[in-house]
Amino acid sequence: MSQSDTQSSYPTSARNQVKRRHDRGFYDHATVHRILDSSMLCHVSYAIDGQPYCTPTFFWREGTKLYWHGSSASRMLRNQSKGERVCVTVAHLDSLVLARCGFNHSADYRAVMAFGIAYLVTDPEEKQRALVAMVDRFFPDRTASLRQSNTQEIKATSFIAMEIEEASAKIRAKGVADDEEDYALPIYAERIPVRTVLGAPEPCARLLDGVTRPATLNGYTEGRLLEDALRGAYFKQYPTG
Amino acid sequence: MSQSDTQSSYPTSARNQVKRRHDRGFYDHATVHRILDSSMLCHVSYAIDGQPYCTPTFFWREGTKLYWHGSSASRMLRNQSKGERVCVTVAHLDSLVLARCGFNHSADYRAVMAFGIAYLVTDPEEKQRALVAMVDRFFPDRTASLRQSNTQEIKATSFIAMEIEEASAKIRAKGVADDEEDYALPIYAERIPVRTVLGAPEPCARLLDGVTRPATLNGYTEGRLLEDALRGAYFKQYPTG
């Protein structure tokens, strides 16, 4: 593997190597990051005294670092000062796959598992950046148009960050894949696509007269795939990826 | 709390009690099960030697028991014979909420965390039921129309089951909720609904002549909410809930 390959892929170990169906495994930054940036929802998993917890929460990526809102992980935070081992997982369901036998029923999907040590963001500058990014990563330039955060709100907001030590992506995207001899059977098989889409935006009923939807929200239109809107917003906010 | 209330709710402890925003917490079977049955994807979290893992996988419910396909948890299985503590989480993203300040940006969502001991299904009768349910729970009566599973496939398929010891649901469904004084500001706010919908079914390109879509799949139609199709299928397969 050349140096540039190394630089653009996550290292593998027993922890993140895709074991079953390893032909579906990817470790390069481009694949892993695209799956992450296509989602706003992740599942953060951590353990306290051997008891695992799995918390769904919003997150975003900066380089090879993930950030999420700390309140959802308050239980975890109470137990950690020096950092806590976590696994952050993102999954997209792309289709249901109905095959000619039970064994080949499946789904098309894209998923990432990322491993690292989560820590509370305490550096004031990093926290200030996170306060902006938690809005602007999803809705570019929106923070500038908002009522500024007050001291109490800033104090009440905590962020967790995790440098990705290892990560893997797993992708299935082949629809129906039956055993060759089963194609001769008179059994119906199909793929049912699944899409997560935006509905028509619902303006707040208490908007002041004359306040209209800003152009910065143009990426969020009825019927658009949520993941396309999210990736579009991401590249506006982080043009270099 | 009356006895019938106790019977129809999950017990609470430090583990499953919703801590932050406890007004959003629910423990009754009806609320928890509806959120579970509206999804086919869960995230299973477990820990091996203090290292947490979070695996996305398909699952279904039978009474107060959850089942999922064992292959995705092969790493976990290798470490467990007597059972492993897990947390199973299901989350639905219902909307993005854009408020008048950063602090009140939020989302509407429905999520369940369920705790218990996961075990490998070894009882032949329970495994046979799971082989049928893994298809028919999603696509009622489909197994009867399929090529039967052979011995090798049955051997290669493993299932994990977990009796739900404790569970909690957390729901936010209120759209924009700003601080009262912020409504006087000339700032745009809205709720953007998010929906996971079915696309047009794509029949397998290698169907035999005359093989058409069976009526049992009528619940899966283009544009329908995935969760409505899943709940419809669930109540066909498990009419008593």
Side-chain angles (χ1 to χ4, degrees):
Chain A
M1 192 182 266
S2 75
Q3 202 192 356
S4 69
D5 285 341
T6 310
Q7 280 173 344
S8 61
S9 282
Y10 287 105
T12 57
S13 78
R15 189 168 59 171
N16 70 320
Q17 195 117 40
V18 172
K19 306 218 167 26
R20 195 173 158 272
R21 304 287 181 116
H22 53 77
D23 54 308
R24 298 183 187 167
F26 300 86
Y27 306 91
D28 60 290
H29 284 189
T31 303
V32 168
H33 293 175
R34 188 180 165 89
I35 292 173
L36 292 172
D37 301 340
S38 299
S39 183
M40 64 192 308
L41 180 69
C42 73
H43 284 72
V44 178
S45 168
Y46 54 96
I48 300 176
D49 300 330
Q51 171 65 56
Y53 293 88
C54 179
T55 305
T57 193
F58 298 103
F59 82 106
W60 70 95
R61 177 181 71 84
E62 252 185 42
T64 56
K65 225 178 201 183
L66 303 181
Y67 285 89
W68 60 94
H69 202 267
S71 60
S72 327
S74 53
R75 205 186 321 235
M76 177 181 92
L77 283 175
R78 262 179 305 155
N79 282 56
Q80 65 157 12
S81 46
K82 62 219 170 318
E84 190 79 28
R85 293 212 157 277
V86 300
C87 173
V88 177
T89 298
V90 165
H92 300 272
L93 173 63
D94 292 327
S95 82
L96 318 182
V97 173
L98 291 80
R100 291 168 177 81
C101 67
F103 193 74
N104 287 328
H105 274 63
S106 186
D108 287 332
Y109 60 86
R110 290 160 291 154
V112 160
M113 289 172 77
F115 298 92
I117 311 277
Y119 65 89
L120 184 63
V121 174
T122 52
D123 178 75
E125 215 171 288
E126 188 178 15
K127 182 167 178 180
Q128 187 50 47
R129 271 210 328 276
L131 280 162
V132 173
M134 79 168 178
V135 172
D136 287 11
R137 175 268 174 266
F138 301 108
F139 313 110
D141 299 324
R142 183 161 173 81
T143 297
S145 72
L146 298 176
R147 191 261 291 152
Q148 282 207 302
S149 298
N150 59 43
T151 316
Q152 198 189 331
E153 287 171 343
I154 294 172
K155 215 175 141 186
T157 308
S158 58
F159 295 103
I160 316 278
M162 179 192 97
E163 175 69 30
I164 302 176
E165 292 174 357
E166 293 169 0
S168 61
K170 202 171 172 186
I171 300 174
R172 185 193 193 274
K174 60 178 175 183
V176 176
D178 267 309
D179 294 1
E180 189 51 41
E181 59 271 28
D182 289 348
Y183 287 103
L185 299 172
I187 299 173
Y188 184 79
E190 71 178 13
R191 174 183 179 275
I192 307 177
V194 174
R195 299 191 180 98
T196 300
V197 299
L198 305 174
E202 299 167 0
C204 175
R206 296 177 65 182
L207 287 181
L208 295 192
D209 280 353
V211 172
T212 55
R213 197 173 202 242
T216 52
L217 294 177
N218 283 352
Y220 289 84
T221 50
E222 183 176 4
R224 196 174 186 204
L225 290 183
L226 171 64
E227 65 172 280
D228 287 350
L230 291 174
R231 278 200 311 275
Y234 190 84
F235 287 109
K236 269 195 191 128
Q237 191 65 16
Y238 299 99
T240 60
Chain B
M1 191 182 266
S2 73
Q3 203 193 353
S4 70
D5 284 341
T6 310
Q7 281 174 344
S8 62
S9 282
Y10 288 104
T12 56
S13 78
R15 188 169 60 172
N16 71 320
Q17 195 117 39
V18 172
K19 305 217 169 25
R20 196 171 158 274
R21 305 282 181 122
H22 52 78
D23 54 309
R24 297 182 187 169
F26 299 86
Y27 306 92
D28 60 289
H29 284 190
T31 304
V32 169
H33 294 176
R34 188 181 165 90
I35 292 172
L36 292 172
D37 302 339
S38 298
S39 182
M40 63 193 309
L41 180 70
C42 72
H43 284 71
V44 179
S45 168
Y46 54 96
I48 300 175
D49 299 331
Q51 171 65 56
Y53 293 88
C54 179
T55 306
T57 192
F58 298 103
F59 83 105
W60 70 96
R61 177 180 71 84
E62 251 184 43
T64 55
K65 226 178 201 183
L66 303 181
Y67 284 89
W68 60 94
H69 202 267
S71 61
S72 325
S74 53
R75 204 184 324 232
M76 178 180 90
L77 284 176
R78 261 179 305 157
N79 282 55
Q80 65 156 14
S81 46
K82 65 223 167 318
E84 190 80 29
R85 292 212 157 274
V86 301
C87 173
V88 177
T89 298
V90 165
H92 301 272
L93 174 62
D94 292 325
S95 82
L96 318 181
V97 173
L98 290 81
R100 291 167 176 82
C101 67
F103 193 73
N104 287 327
H105 274 63
S106 187
D108 288 331
Y109 60 85
R110 289 161 292 154
V112 160
M113 289 172 77
F115 298 92
I117 311 279
Y119 65 90
L120 184 64
V121 174
T122 51
D123 177 74
E125 214 171 288
E126 188 177 14
K127 182 166 178 181
Q128 186 49 46
R129 271 210 329 275
L131 280 161
V132 173
M134 79 168 180
V135 172
D136 286 11
R137 175 269 174 266
F138 301 109
F139 312 110
D141 299 325
R142 182 161 173 80
T143 297
S145 72
L146 298 176
R147 192 259 293 152
Q148 283 209 300
S149 299
N150 59 43
T151 317
Q152 198 188 332
E153 287 171 344
I154 295 172
K155 214 175 141 184
T157 308
S158 58
F159 294 103
I160 316 278
M162 178 192 98
E163 174 70 30
I164 303 176
E165 292 174 356
E166 292 169 2
S168 61
K170 203 172 171 185
I171 300 175
R172 186 195 192 273
K174 61 180 175 183
V176 175
D178 267 311
D179 295 0
E180 189 50 42
E181 59 269 29
D182 289 349
Y183 287 103
L185 299 171
I187 299 173
Y188 184 79
E190 72 179 14
R191 174 182 178 273
I192 307 177
V194 173
R195 299 192 180 97
T196 300
V197 298
L198 305 174
E202 299 166 1
C204 174
R206 295 177 65 184
L207 287 181
L208 295 192
D209 280 353
V211 172
T212 55
R213 194 172 203 243
T216 52
L217 294 176
N218 283 352
Y220 289 84
T221 49
E222 183 176 5
R224 195 173 188 204
L225 292 182
L226 171 63
E227 65 172 280
D228 287 349
L230 291 174
R231 278 200 312 274
Y234 189 84
F235 287 109
K236 268 193 193 130
Q237 191 65 18
Y238 299 98
T240 60

